[in-house]
Amino acid sequence: MTLQEISASTKIPVSKLQAIERDDIENLPGGIFTRGFVRSYAEAVGLDPQETLAQFEERFPNESSVATLHATIEGRANEEFVRRQRVAKGMIWFGLLAAVLVVWLLAVVVREDRPAPAATDEAVAGEVELSEAARQEPPPAAPAASRPAEAEADPEPPPAAPAAAGRLTMEISPTADCWVLASADGDTVISRVLAAGEREVVVAEGTIEMRIGDAGAFTFTINRRPGRSLGGAGEVVDVRVTQANYLSFVAE
C-alpha cells in the first residue's frame, strides 16, 4: 500500500504518516491525537491496533506520559466547564423565582393600599344629571384644521437596538477532515476531528486558543470577516486570537 492510499482511508495527512514510519515524534501532534494516528495506521496496514500501540508506548514512554497528562487536563477542564454550567443555571433559576416573588408582593401591596371609592347619593344623582345632559346636547365637532395635521403626522420609528460588541466570534468550516482542539476564555469547547463541510462556532469574551492538525484545510471567519491562511497542507499550527490581535487574522 502507498501512503496516499493509507491517507485516503484513514484521513491522516501523508506528512503525518511519514513521521510515524520515521519515528519522527517532533512532527506529530502529540497526546491523544498521536495515539489515534497510530491506531488508524495499524488498522489500515493489517496490524493489531492494541499491540502496535503498546509497542509505540514502549518505544516512546515520554509520549505516553504526555498523552496521559493531556487526557487528565482535558478531563478536568470538561468537569470544570460542566460545574460552571450548573452554577449558572442555578443562578438563573434563582433570579427568575426572585423576580416572580417581587412582582407578586408588589401586586399585593398595591391592591391593599388602593382606597375603595365611596359612592354617595349626591354623587350618583350628579352622574345621572350629567349623563342626561350629555344625551340632550350633541357632541362638539372636531376642528377642521386639526384633522389634516393629525393625518400628516407620521409616527417616529423606534430607535434601533445597538449591536453587541466586545466578543470574538469564530466560525470554522474546514474544506477537508481536520482535527481541532479549541478553547474559549480557557474552557475547552472543541476536541475532535471536524469533517469536511462541517460548521462549528466558537464565541469568547477575550481569548480563543486553538491547535489545528491540518492548517491547509482549515478555513474560518472572525467576527464575520474571512480569515487568512494559517499554513500549508498537513501543517500543525497553534493559534491564539485576542481582542487586540484578531485583525491580524483577517484576510486582506
Side-chain angles (χ1 to χ4, degrees):
M1 297 177 65
T2 65
L3 291 179
Q4 286 74 17
E5 292 173 341
I6 298 174
S7 176
S9 64
T10 62
K11 307 301 182 183
I12 300 175
V14 173
S15 62
K16 305 308 173 189
L17 295 173
Q18 292 173 340
I20 292 175
E21 292 190 345
R22 294 196 304 264
D23 293 340
D24 187 1
I25 299 300
E26 296 298 328
N27 285 324
L28 291 174
I32 58 175
F33 298 108
T34 297
R35 293 161 62 88
F37 285 0
V38 172
R39 283 177 176 272
S40 299
Y41 177 86
E43 291 177 355
V45 300
L47 299 176
D48 182 82
Q50 292 294 344
E51 182 180 348
T52 304
L53 183 58
Q55 294 177 3
F56 173 81
E57 292 177 342
E58 181 180 357
R59 182 176 300 178
F60 302 105
N62 292 334
E63 176 62 24
S64 177
S65 300
V66 171
T68 302
L69 178 60
H70 285 183
T72 301
I73 293 174
E74 183 177 351
R76 291 178 178 175
N78 290 335
E79 291 177 359
E80 179 65 17
F81 179 70
V82 171
R83 186 188 67 80
R84 291 184 180 180
Q85 280 189 326
R86 290 176 180 172
V87 172
K89 289 180 180 178
M91 294 180 65
I92 290 173
W93 278 111
F94 178 78
L96 290 175
L97 291 175
V100 171
L101 180 60
V102 169
V103 171
W104 179 78
L105 289 174
L106 288 176
V108 171
V109 171
V110 170
R111 186 164 57 245
E112 291 179 352
D113 290 343
R114 183 180 300 169
T120 63
D121 294 339
E122 294 179 358
V124 173
E127 290 179 1
V128 172
E129 292 177 359
L130 287 175
S131 62
E132 298 233 349
R135 276 200 301 268
Q136 294 174 1
E137 295 181 4
S146 64
R147 292 176 184 173
E150 292 175 359
E152 293 176 1
D154 294 330
E156 295 184 1
R167 287 187 177 181
L168 292 173
T169 302
M170 177 177 286
E171 181 176 333
I172 303 170
S173 53
T175 57
D177 291 352
C178 175
W179 61 263
V180 176
L181 177 63
S183 65
D185 298 324
D187 293 332
T188 300
V189 294
I190 303 175
S191 178
R192 63 187 180 88
V193 175
L194 300 183
E198 189 174 355
R199 176 179 173 272
E200 284 284 356
V201 177
V202 180
V203 179
E205 297 293 338
T207 304
I208 297 176
E209 295 181 320
M210 293 186 298
R211 169 167 283 193
I212 302 165
D214 187 353
F218 187 83
T219 59
F220 66 98
T221 64
I222 184 75
N223 288 356
R224 297 186 178 181
R225 302 174 68 175
R228 63 175 175 81
S229 173
L230 300 179
E235 184 178 353
V236 178
V237 296
D238 292 322
V239 176
R240 187 173 188 271
V241 184
T242 65
Q243 292 285 356
N245 71 356
Y246 83 91
L247 290 177
S248 65
F249 293 91
V250 175
E252 296 181 356

